[in-house]
Amino acid sequence: MEHAYLGVDVGSISTKGVIIDRENNILASRYIWTQGDPIGAVKELVRLLKEQFDSTKYKVVATGTTGSARKLVGAILGATMVKNEITAHAVGTTTFYPDVRTILEIGGQDSKIILVENGVAVDYAMNTLCAAGTGAFLSSQAKRLGIEVEEIGDYALRSAHPTQIAARCTVFAESDLVHKIQMGHPREDIIAGVCNAVASNYLNNVGKGKKILSPVVFQGGVSKNKGVVAAFERTLGCKVIVDPNGHLMGALGVAILAKKGSKRQEFDFAVENMEFHTREASCGQCSNHCEIICVYRGDELIDAWGNRCERGERTR
């Protein structure tokens, strides 16, 4: 039976999963909404991946997790590799685009930039508090304008005179957008202006002070928006590469890392039927009073973290 490798990327908005073979070909993939329930989302993800996966030909021998819930999901899935998003995205992108110099990534609430030299990430930055350069901002403005977020790109590309939208932060951008609607600007011009605002906010905040060099690869859910891609290309003055699987790049990267790692553990798809829950506990073993996150499978404690010393290794 041939070996396969699972990668899962659980973010605040979306949960992504891929299963790859030895040559990094995708055998199964899914992109679903987290909906504030990472445990429920990953169980549903496993169920959906199982439907695509040929278990008569392959078996998953290593599993990697990344994203904001990587530790929690890693405990649930019995991951052999747990890595941060910067590393996962960098590894995934450089595997498929070895000459890449700049990685732009915009998700639902998070965005990041990664600078690469000779296939190695040498610098990065992530967004802080402002959401004006994220997918959540695009979604809220699409709703305000009465269109589906998937339609934004087509509307934006029809615009000949994009409306200037303040891009300093979400509050200013939304206020300015309402003002431009009241002034009677055409919808396609306003939408093109929103796309430009997303690109401008990203470059002025996340990309501030960074030397952006070509080749540039754009990924994350927002990379599917043709209007934002066009806005980046106009601003940067170069072609922006969008991989068809760019929205899955974190999952791909951590699957590749799991494959390269030395640890092996066959993955059990039955995890979709298991009951998991978390509990927060105060260690109380010293003056730090660390808050420990405990993960249980039924009544069994399977992992815990959050301690700052060995006294809180396991807390029930």
Side-chain angles (χ1 to χ4, degrees):
M1 193 170 279
E2 296 184 44
H3 287 183
Y5 312 87
L6 169 63
V8 176
D9 179 1
V10 184
S12 54
I13 298 293
S14 59
T15 295
K16 291 77 68 176
V18 298
I19 301 176
I20 60 172
D21 64 13
R22 292 178 185 273
E23 285 71 47
N24 301 327
N25 298 306
I26 295 177
L27 305 174
S29 68
R30 285 305 298 248
Y31 182 110
I32 63 175
W33 304 118
T34 307
Q35 297 182 321
D37 181 12
I39 294 177
V42 79
K43 289 173 71 175
E44 175 66 5
L45 179 77
V46 169
R47 184 186 70 79
L48 294 170
L49 290 172
K50 183 180 178 182
E51 291 178 353
Q52 299 178 31
F53 184 62
D54 184 358
S55 58
T56 64
K57 183 178 179 182
Y58 297 94
K59 65 177 179 180
V60 175
V61 297
T63 303
T65 60
T66 190
S68 55
R70 60 186 178 274
K71 287 187 177 180
L72 171 62
V73 174
I76 290 170
L77 299 182
T80 58
M81 179 71 64
V82 178
K83 285 289 182 180
N84 63 71
E85 305 97 298
I86 299 298
T87 302
H89 278 274
V91 168
T93 308
T94 55
T95 297
F96 298 101
Y97 300 94
D99 296 329
V100 64
R101 295 298 307 276
T102 308
I103 301 169
L104 315 178
E105 197 270 341
I106 304 181
Q109 290 185 338
D110 302 317
S111 53
K112 62 182 74 72
I113 185 170
I114 305 171
L115 305 184
V116 181
E117 287 183 13
N118 300 317
V120 178
V122 294
D123 193 12
Y124 74 92
M126 301 182 71
N127 68 325
T128 52
L129 299 177
C130 185
T134 66
F137 173 73
L138 281 173
S139 295
S140 64
Q141 302 322 310
K143 186 175 182 179
R144 184 189 300 274
L145 292 162
I147 66 171
E148 297 296 323
V149 69
E150 293 83 4
E151 299 177 288
I152 286 180
D154 291 329
Y155 270 96
L157 295 182
R158 292 202 292 268
S159 171
H161 304 286
T163 299
Q164 285 291 118
I165 303 291
R168 294 185 297 279
C169 75
T170 304
V171 175
F172 288 130
E174 290 185 342
S175 176
D176 198 28
L177 183 140
V178 170
H179 177 61
K180 297 300 168 59
I181 292 173
Q182 293 170 342
M183 289 176 63
H185 284 242
R187 180 183 289 184
E188 59 268 25
D189 290 347
I190 292 175
I191 292 171
V194 168
C195 292
N196 289 343
V198 168
S200 176
N201 181 278
Y202 175 92
L203 294 171
N204 290 329
N205 288 280
V206 183
K208 186 176 182 180
K210 304 297 183 186
K211 190 174 182 180
I212 297 176
L213 300 174
S214 183
V216 175
V217 175
F218 181 23
Q219 55 200 32
V222 177
S223 68
K224 299 300 181 183
N225 187 308
K226 293 178 284 188
V228 177
V229 174
F232 272 124
E233 290 185 332
R234 282 193 300 270
T235 305
L236 297 175
C238 67
K239 177 177 174 56
V240 172
I241 301 166
V242 178
D243 189 279
N245 295 308
H247 58 301
L248 302 170
M249 200 58 77
L252 276 166
V254 82
I256 292 167
L257 284 165
K259 182 186 70 171
K260 290 181 176 179
S262 58
K263 193 172 180 182
R264 292 290 179 262
Q265 180 175 315
E266 188 169 346
F267 179 71
D268 184 359
F269 282 92
V271 68
E272 63 171 305
N273 301 315
M274 298 178 185
E275 290 300 319
F276 298 92
H277 66 277
T278 61
R279 183 170 66 87
E280 192 174 272
S282 178
C283 175
Q285 299 295 317
C286 71
S287 59
N288 284 327
H289 293 288
C290 296
E291 293 295 328
I292 311 297
I293 305 300
C294 304
V295 184
Y296 292 86
R297 180 172 53 232
D299 295 326
E300 178 191 0
L301 177 66
I302 59 173
D303 204 355
W305 60 85
N307 57 290
R308 282 175 281 177
C309 71
E310 68 280 356
R311 297 181 187 180
E313 287 284 327
R314 290 277 171 138
T315 301
R316 288 186 179 273

